Short mmCIF file of all heavy atoms in Angstrom, two decimals:
data_model
loop_
_atom_site.label_atom_id
_atom_site.label_comp_id
_atom_site.label_asym_id
_atom_site.label_seq_id
_atom_site.Cartn_x
_atom_site.Cartn_y
_atom_site.Cartn_z
N THR H 14 0.85 -1.18 0.00
CA THR H 14 0.00 0.00 0.00
C THR H 14 0.89 1.23 0.00
O THR H 14 1.80 1.35 0.83
CB THR H 14 -0.93 0.02 1.23
OG1 THR H 14 -1.73 -1.17 1.23
CG2 THR H 14 -1.83 1.23 1.21
N MET H 15 0.61 2.13 -0.94
CA MET H 15 1.42 3.34 -1.06
C MET H 15 0.50 4.55 -1.00
O MET H 15 -0.63 4.53 -1.51
CB MET H 15 2.18 3.35 -2.39
CG MET H 15 3.20 2.23 -2.54
SD MET H 15 4.12 2.37 -4.09
CE MET H 15 2.79 2.09 -5.26
N ASN H 16 1.01 5.61 -0.34
CA ASN H 16 0.29 6.88 -0.27
C ASN H 16 0.73 7.75 -1.45
O ASN H 16 1.91 7.99 -1.66
CB ASN H 16 0.58 7.60 1.04
CG ASN H 16 0.00 6.85 2.24
OD1 ASN H 16 -1.13 6.39 2.19
ND2 ASN H 16 0.79 6.74 3.30
N THR H 17 -0.26 8.19 -2.22
CA THR H 17 0.03 9.06 -3.36
C THR H 17 -0.84 10.29 -3.26
O THR H 17 -1.70 10.41 -2.38
CB THR H 17 -0.27 8.33 -4.69
OG1 THR H 17 -1.69 8.17 -4.83
CG2 THR H 17 0.41 6.96 -4.72
N ILE H 18 -0.62 11.21 -4.16
CA ILE H 18 -1.42 12.45 -4.15
C ILE H 18 -2.89 12.14 -4.48
O ILE H 18 -3.76 12.97 -4.22
CB ILE H 18 -0.87 13.47 -5.15
CG1 ILE H 18 -0.86 12.86 -6.57
CG2 ILE H 18 0.51 13.93 -4.76
CD1 ILE H 18 -0.46 13.90 -7.63
N LEU H 19 -3.13 10.96 -5.03
CA LEU H 19 -4.51 10.56 -5.33
C LEU H 19 -5.11 9.72 -4.22
O LEU H 19 -6.22 9.23 -4.34
CB LEU H 19 -4.54 9.77 -6.65
CG LEU H 19 -4.04 10.52 -7.88
CD1 LEU H 19 -4.04 9.59 -9.10
CD2 LEU H 19 -4.90 11.75 -8.16
N GLY H 20 -4.35 9.51 -3.17
CA GLY H 20 -4.82 8.68 -2.07
C GLY H 20 -4.02 7.39 -1.99
O GLY H 20 -2.97 7.25 -2.62
N GLN H 21 -4.49 6.44 -1.22
CA GLN H 21 -3.79 5.18 -1.07
C GLN H 21 -4.04 4.27 -2.28
O GLN H 21 -5.16 4.17 -2.77
CB GLN H 21 -4.24 4.46 0.20
CG GLN H 21 -3.74 5.09 1.49
CD GLN H 21 -4.03 4.23 2.70
OE1 GLN H 21 -4.98 3.45 2.69
NE2 GLN H 21 -3.21 4.37 3.74
N MET H 22 -2.97 3.65 -2.73
CA MET H 22 -3.06 2.72 -3.85
C MET H 22 -2.39 1.41 -3.48
O MET H 22 -1.34 1.41 -2.82
CB MET H 22 -2.40 3.30 -5.12
CG MET H 22 -3.06 4.56 -5.63
SD MET H 22 -2.34 5.12 -7.18
CE MET H 22 -2.81 3.76 -8.26
N GLN H 23 -3.00 0.30 -3.89
CA GLN H 23 -2.45 -1.02 -3.61
C GLN H 23 -1.92 -1.66 -4.88
O GLN H 23 -2.55 -1.57 -5.94
CB GLN H 23 -3.51 -1.94 -2.99
CG GLN H 23 -3.88 -1.60 -1.56
CD GLN H 23 -4.81 -2.63 -0.97
OE1 GLN H 23 -5.51 -3.33 -1.68
NE2 GLN H 23 -4.80 -2.73 0.36
N THR H 24 -0.79 -2.30 -4.79
CA THR H 24 -0.22 -3.05 -5.91
C THR H 24 0.14 -4.46 -5.44
O THR H 24 0.58 -4.64 -4.30
CB THR H 24 1.04 -2.37 -6.47
OG1 THR H 24 2.02 -2.27 -5.43
CG2 THR H 24 0.73 -0.98 -7.02
N SER H 25 -0.08 -5.43 -6.29
CA SER H 25 0.25 -6.82 -5.97
C SER H 25 1.36 -7.29 -6.89
O SER H 25 1.32 -7.07 -8.10
CB SER H 25 -0.98 -7.72 -6.14
OG SER H 25 -1.98 -7.37 -5.21
N THR H 26 2.35 -7.95 -6.31
CA THR H 26 3.47 -8.49 -7.08
C THR H 26 3.75 -9.92 -6.64
O THR H 26 3.31 -10.35 -5.58
CB THR H 26 4.75 -7.64 -6.88
OG1 THR H 26 5.08 -7.62 -5.49
CG2 THR H 26 4.55 -6.22 -7.38
N VAL H 27 4.48 -10.65 -7.47
CA VAL H 27 4.86 -12.02 -7.13
C VAL H 27 5.74 -12.01 -5.90
O VAL H 27 6.64 -11.18 -5.75
CB VAL H 27 5.61 -12.67 -8.31
CG1 VAL H 27 6.13 -14.05 -7.92
CG2 VAL H 27 4.69 -12.80 -9.51
N CYS H 28 5.47 -12.93 -5.00
CA CYS H 28 6.24 -13.01 -3.75
C CYS H 28 7.71 -13.25 -4.06
O CYS H 28 8.06 -14.20 -4.77
CB CYS H 28 5.69 -14.13 -2.88
SG CYS H 28 6.64 -14.38 -1.36
N PRO H 29 8.61 -12.42 -3.54
CA PRO H 29 10.04 -12.57 -3.85
C PRO H 29 10.69 -13.77 -3.17
O PRO H 29 11.73 -14.25 -3.61
CB PRO H 29 10.64 -11.26 -3.33
CG PRO H 29 9.71 -10.83 -2.23
CD PRO H 29 8.34 -11.24 -2.67
N ASP H 30 10.06 -14.30 -2.11
CA ASP H 30 10.66 -15.41 -1.37
C ASP H 30 10.33 -16.78 -1.97
O ASP H 30 11.16 -17.68 -2.00
CB ASP H 30 10.22 -15.37 0.10
CG ASP H 30 10.92 -14.25 0.86
OD1 ASP H 30 11.91 -13.71 0.33
OD2 ASP H 30 10.47 -13.92 1.97
N CYS H 31 9.10 -16.95 -2.45
CA CYS H 31 8.69 -18.25 -3.00
C CYS H 31 8.47 -18.21 -4.50
O CYS H 31 8.08 -19.21 -5.10
CB CYS H 31 7.44 -18.76 -2.30
SG CYS H 31 5.96 -17.75 -2.61
N GLN H 32 8.71 -17.03 -5.11
CA GLN H 32 8.53 -16.84 -6.55
C GLN H 32 7.13 -17.24 -7.03
O GLN H 32 6.94 -17.76 -8.13
CB GLN H 32 9.59 -17.62 -7.36
CG GLN H 32 10.97 -17.03 -7.33
CD GLN H 32 11.66 -17.26 -5.99
OE1 GLN H 32 11.73 -18.40 -5.53
NE2 GLN H 32 12.18 -16.20 -5.41
N GLY H 33 6.15 -17.00 -6.17
CA GLY H 33 4.77 -17.23 -6.57
C GLY H 33 4.25 -18.62 -6.26
O GLY H 33 3.07 -18.90 -6.51
N ASP H 34 5.09 -19.51 -5.72
CA ASP H 34 4.63 -20.87 -5.44
C ASP H 34 3.71 -20.94 -4.21
O ASP H 34 2.90 -21.85 -4.09
CB ASP H 34 5.82 -21.81 -5.20
CG ASP H 34 6.56 -22.11 -6.49
OD1 ASP H 34 5.95 -21.96 -7.56
OD2 ASP H 34 7.74 -22.52 -6.42
N GLY H 35 3.88 -20.02 -3.28
CA GLY H 35 3.08 -20.03 -2.06
C GLY H 35 3.63 -20.94 -0.99
O GLY H 35 3.09 -21.02 0.11
N LYS H 36 4.71 -21.66 -1.31
CA LYS H 36 5.31 -22.56 -0.32
C LYS H 36 6.81 -22.67 -0.58
O LYS H 36 7.29 -22.39 -1.68
CB LYS H 36 4.66 -23.94 -0.37
CG LYS H 36 4.68 -24.58 -1.74
CD LYS H 36 3.85 -25.84 -1.78
CE LYS H 36 3.84 -26.46 -3.18
NZ LYS H 36 2.97 -27.65 -3.25
N LYS H 37 7.52 -23.11 0.43
CA LYS H 37 8.97 -23.28 0.34
C LYS H 37 9.34 -24.73 0.62
O LYS H 37 8.73 -25.39 1.47
CB LYS H 37 9.68 -22.37 1.35
CG LYS H 37 9.67 -20.90 1.00
CD LYS H 37 10.52 -20.11 2.01
CE LYS H 37 10.63 -18.66 1.61
NZ LYS H 37 11.49 -17.91 2.59
#
């Protein structure tokens, strides 16, 4: 969640720890 001049905005990205697998 980031605060911008337009208000709060959410962005979703692939998890850097599991590379999107959801498990290790």
Side-chain angles (χ1 to χ4, degrees):
T14 302
M15 296 183 295
N16 293 316
T17 70
I18 58 174
L19 300 176
Q21 288 189 333
M22 297 185 65
Q23 288 186 336
T24 59
S25 295
T26 58
V27 174
C28 176
D30 286 346
C31 66
Q32 286 75 52
D34 287 339
K36 55 188 178 183
K37 287 185 175 182

